[in-house]
Amino acid sequence: MFNIILFGPPGSGKGTQSERLISKYGFKHLSTGDLLRSEIAKQTPLGIEAKNFMDKGHLVPDEVVIGMISSALDNHPDAKGFLFDGFPRTEAQSQALDKLLKLKNTQIGVVLALDVTEEELVKRLLNRGLTSGRSDDTNEEIIRNRIVEYHKKTSAVADYYKQFDKVVYVKGEGSVDEIFDALCSEIDQRLS
Ligand code: ADP
């Protein structure tokens, strides 16, 4: 089993690249953003709680997303590998993920970190907001809050995995194909 974290700030292209990576390698895609939006659509208690945080551009509490990921892992016992997208987003989430994977006798193979400048991120997110139907993409202040949360809490995830020498940076600007090829080359080196 080979598990990947696709890491990077909001708007760095994790969703786009995840779709391609799962269809090429057959990973099970676990996106906490998608899981949370599905809870919101179903109006579950978890979704209603999460929405308050997401609408402000703040992170949802660790215990909520960790519980969600734990169930998702249990629901896919036959997966040949997981691609984590938008998770972990704090050091506590990283530690919890490592423990959950250890219980399943597996671990993170590599953290692929997409590198994109801040101005490009804001531009992409505002652009995505025109069509995505995501309210957190239409307001520049909420977008900036998400980037602040990223610097305050989420960049620690890269530091955490650097201790284990698992982080590889990939340039997240250029064409979707170029970025995809760069990601595949890192994965292939580790799979062979
Ligand atoms: P983006 O990467 O563009 O911010 P996501 O879909 O990954 O989009 O996340 C949308 C929102 O969902 C985040 O701003 C945050 O409020 C919440 N969220 C998603 N994943 C997590 C997580 N692992 N921990 C806490 N909050 C999360």
Side-chain angles (χ1 to χ4, degrees):
M1 195 170 188
F2 190 76
N3 308 296
I4 292 182
I5 295 173
L6 191 57
F7 182 76
S12 55
K14 300 186 297 289
T16 307
Q17 296 296 337
S18 290
E19 273 179 34
R20 297 187 158 214
L21 293 170
I22 54 170
S23 69
K24 174 162 178 177
Y25 295 99
F27 300 123
K28 173 69 199 159
H29 184 202
L30 290 184
S31 153
T32 39
D34 289 350
L35 291 169
L36 290 166
R37 281 184 289 275
S38 135
E39 296 285 333
I40 292 175
K42 288 187 277 186
Q43 297 199 313
T44 64
L46 189 156
I48 292 165
E49 187 196 350
K51 189 173 185 308
N52 287 322
F53 294 93
M54 293 168 74
D55 281 349
K56 298 190 188 88
H58 294 155
L59 292 186
V60 173
D62 285 336
E63 54 283 11
V64 174
V65 283
I66 292 168
M68 228 171 46
I69 285 288
S70 172
S71 326
L73 291 176
D74 289 341
N75 288 340
H76 297 95
D78 300 326
K80 51 186 235 187
F82 291 97
L83 188 158
F84 297 95
D85 160 7
F87 179 89
R89 252 175 157 99
T90 62
E91 186 170 345
Q93 292 179 22
S94 313
Q95 288 168 349
L97 177 63
D98 278 3
K99 278 193 197 141
L100 290 169
L101 292 177
K102 206 166 181 183
L103 288 172
K104 300 193 183 299
N105 291 317
T106 183
Q107 59 176 332
I108 292 299
V110 68
V111 179
L112 297 172
L114 290 168
D115 223 358
V116 179
T117 61
E118 184 157 334
E119 281 326 296
E120 173 71 14
L121 295 175
V122 176
K123 205 170 84 191
R124 287 187 190 178
L125 289 168
L126 283 170
N127 214 7
R128 183 167 86 185
L130 298 175
T131 53
S132 69
R134 279 180 55 173
S135 54
D136 61 345
D137 284 343
T138 45
N139 175 315
E140 185 158 345
E141 194 188 330
I142 299 175
I143 291 176
R144 298 259 177 214
N145 275 347
R146 284 155 64 201
I147 296 174
V148 168
E149 287 281 73
Y150 174 80
H151 288 300
K152 256 195 342 209
K153 301 176 184 160
T154 306
S155 56
V157 171
D159 297 333
Y160 173 82
Y161 285 103
K162 274 179 200 163
Q163 303 174 67
F164 310 110
D165 228 2
K166 289 190 176 170
V167 183
V168 176
Y169 284 90
V170 171
K171 190 164 161 249
E173 292 182 47
S175 74
V176 172
D177 283 342
E178 279 163 359
I179 301 165
F180 180 64
D181 289 345
L183 292 170
C184 291
S185 133
E186 295 297 341
I187 294 172
D188 293 341
Q189 282 173 43
R190 286 163 180 83
L191 282 178
S192 60

